[in-house]
Amino acid sequence: MIKGLAITTVWVLDQDRAKEFYTDKLGLEVRTDLTMGEGGMRWLTVGAPGQPDVELTLMVPGPPALDPESAEMVRTLVAKGALGAGVLATDDIHGDYRRLKERGVEFLQEPQERPYGTEALFRDDSGNWFSFTQRREGGLDTDKDWA
């Protein structure tokens, strides 16, 4: 049976730049960085310190996962900022928001209260957007508006 999520793909436009962004700016750690075979695909994964069982693979759109036409479409959507890559969790949304902003992370939205917690939105260096969220104590507030 499925035990949980282990690895998920984040499409990036440049793996070296993405590696720098995810480690130097976001504070994630490199888990794997290797090339499979001579001239093969680069397998680059990062993850949050203290969470060894979940990784993001930072992949450039292309073979073997995508044919050339599909890869170009994905690159266009990433660069346009049309793809959301997920939710990254924090225990200190306001402090981490300030620290990440000081490191040069481009935020699309300052922290705002939501029914599920406090959320800020940012883009990575390729254009993907992430929700950066501190969950609400006590769970979802179903009485709060979804503004």
Side-chain angles (χ1 to χ4, degrees):
M1 293 305 296
I2 295 172
K3 292 172 45 177
L5 179 67
I7 301 173
T8 190
T9 299
V10 176
W11 297 110
V12 299
L13 303 178
D14 180 289
Q15 285 178 305
D16 289 325
R17 258 192 11 238
K19 179 180 177 180
E20 182 179 322
F21 178 87
Y22 283 84
T23 57
D24 294 349
K25 291 189 178 181
L26 297 185
L28 301 182
E29 60 189 16
V30 173
R31 301 282 173 74
T32 308
D33 189 356
L34 60 88
T35 301
M36 297 181 178
E38 189 173 323
M41 179 186 79
R42 183 177 179 189
W43 184 251
L44 173 61
T45 68
V46 296
Q51 191 183 25
D53 54 340
V54 178
E55 298 177 74
L56 304 176
T57 181
L58 306 176
M59 297 290 295
V60 173
L66 300 172
D67 62 81
E69 182 182 353
S70 298
E72 184 58 33
M73 288 179 189
V74 170
R75 279 192 294 277
T76 298
L77 289 171
V78 168
K80 187 177 182 177
L83 298 181
V87 179
L88 298 176
T90 179
D91 290 332
D92 180 11
I93 186 71
H94 295 287
D96 288 339
Y97 167 80
R98 282 190 301 277
R99 282 184 281 282
L100 292 178
K101 199 164 178 162
E102 287 169 2
R103 292 180 191 167
V105 174
E106 174 194 351
F107 278 87
L108 305 171
Q109 172 195 292
E110 295 179 0
Q112 295 183 10
E113 295 300 317
R114 302 282 186 231
Y116 45 84
T118 307
E119 174 189 57
L121 300 176
F122 72 85
R123 288 196 197 281
D124 71 5
D125 67 307
S126 292
N128 296 298
W129 64 268
F130 285 86
S131 167
F132 187 50
T133 301
Q134 181 174 344
R135 287 188 183 208
R136 181 182 175 278
E137 286 188 34
L140 183 64
D141 182 355
T142 56
D143 294 327
K144 192 168 188 73
D145 287 335
W146 290 84

